[in-house]
Each structure stands twice: as structure tokens, then as C-alpha cells.
Amino acid sequence: METKSRGIFFLRAALGLGMLFAGADKFFMWASGKAFTSAAYLVHGTGGVWLGSTTPVNPTQSFWVSIGQNASLVSIFDTLVVFGEVAIGVALIVGLATRFSAVMCVLLMSLLYVSNWSFANGPFNEQFMYGAIAATIVMVGAGAYALDTVIEKLAIAQRVPALKYVLG
């Protein structure tokens, strides 16, 4: 049990740190020195190609391009991406609302995977792996080293059974 709990904590913390860094990088502009915007990615990075090809194959490309060309939607997407990455990262690291956070991570990674839709380097890219780890956390829960474990023992958590779907 102890080894399993440490393993779950490691997966949670590693995924959380990756998500937190991705969001903080966009917020503090560490890599680019410029304010984050998803417009260029949505318009130019969503074509997707097969192995050994340069022909775009993403069937959802026109949808993403239309969003990327709408400044209002881009602003909403940018805010949701940065806030979501930071919030998911922090929640996973400390183990707070772990299942909900992991589900949101799966959703975010699924959207990124579909928008990217590139198999130029094979189908198992970063979004796929982050999503797979998040899905595993949804299934196994937060483990012993999490705030959810403490919260689940509180009287309020005992009276509100639906919390088990949010907590670890």
C-alpha cells in the first residue's frame, strides 16, 4: 500500500508540475518574453500530418482556424488555457479535488490532441501521454499523500457523498 501511494503521488506531482510550469510559463512569459496567445497555433499549427508526409490531414482544422481568427474567442481560450494549466497543476500537486482536476486535464489534453492531430512523430505525443497519466489518476484517485485524503475524513464529506466524485 505504501509503495502504491508513493507511486500515485509521484504521477500526480509529475503531471501537476508539468501543467503548472506550462501555465506559469505562459503567464510570466519566461520562454518567449511576449504575452501568450493561441492565435498562431490555432491558425497555423492545427493542420496535422501523417508519418513521412507534409500534407495536412486534420479533419478539425477549419474549426480551429475559425477560432484562431476570432480575437474574442482567442482571448477566452488564452485565459482558460493559462488558468486551467495553473489550477490543474496546483490541485494535482497538493491532491485537492484530484479526480475533478484530472478529468479537466484529460479534457484539456484531449482538445489539444485533436487540435494538433499530427502523427508526423507518431500518435503518442506529449498531449497523449499527459492525458493518459491524468486518466490513470481519475481511475486510481489521489492516494494517501493528498489533501483529499484529509478532507474525505471530515464530517461534511461524510454527509455529501457526491464529493467522492470530485475528491481523490
Side-chain angles (χ1 to χ4, degrees):
M1 181 66 178
E2 187 70 23
T3 303
K4 179 181 174 187
S5 291
R6 279 191 230 135
I8 294 168
F9 172 73
F10 176 78
L11 280 179
R12 235 186 45 236
L15 179 59
L17 286 168
M19 295 299 292
L20 177 60
F21 179 79
D25 178 38
K26 290 173 182 73
F27 184 79
F28 292 113
M29 302 174 281
W30 291 331
S32 68
K34 300 176 189 171
F36 168 72
T37 179
S38 59
Y41 166 76
L42 290 167
V43 172
H44 303 291
T46 57
V49 294
W50 292 114
L51 285 167
S53 172
T54 58
T55 306
V57 295
N58 187 346
T60 64
Q61 182 184 22
S62 60
F63 170 74
W64 302 111
V65 170
S66 68
I67 292 171
Q69 293 172 339
N70 183 324
S72 298
L73 287 177
V74 167
S75 178
I76 292 168
F77 269 53
D78 292 349
T79 302
L80 289 173
V81 166
V82 173
F83 176 77
E85 287 176 341
V86 169
I88 290 167
V90 170
L92 288 174
I93 291 167
V94 300
L96 180 63
T98 304
R99 288 187 197 275
F100 177 76
S101 300
V103 166
M104 292 300 103
C105 186
V106 169
L107 176 63
L108 178 60
M109 291 301 113
S110 296
L111 288 170
L112 289 171
Y113 187 81
V114 168
S115 69
N116 185 24
W117 201 274
S118 180
F119 301 111
N121 297 311
F124 305 108
N125 60 17
E126 181 180 2
Q127 294 90 14
F128 181 89
M129 293 303 171
Y130 275 16
I133 293 169
T136 301
I137 293 169
V138 170
M139 290 182 268
V140 300
Y145 305 115
L147 288 177
D148 284 350
T149 305
V150 175
I151 293 170
E152 286 172 342
K153 295 176 184 172
L154 298 176
I156 183 89
Q158 302 300 318
R159 289 192 304 267
V160 183
L163 281 178
K164 71 181 175 185
Y165 298 112
V166 175
L167 301 175

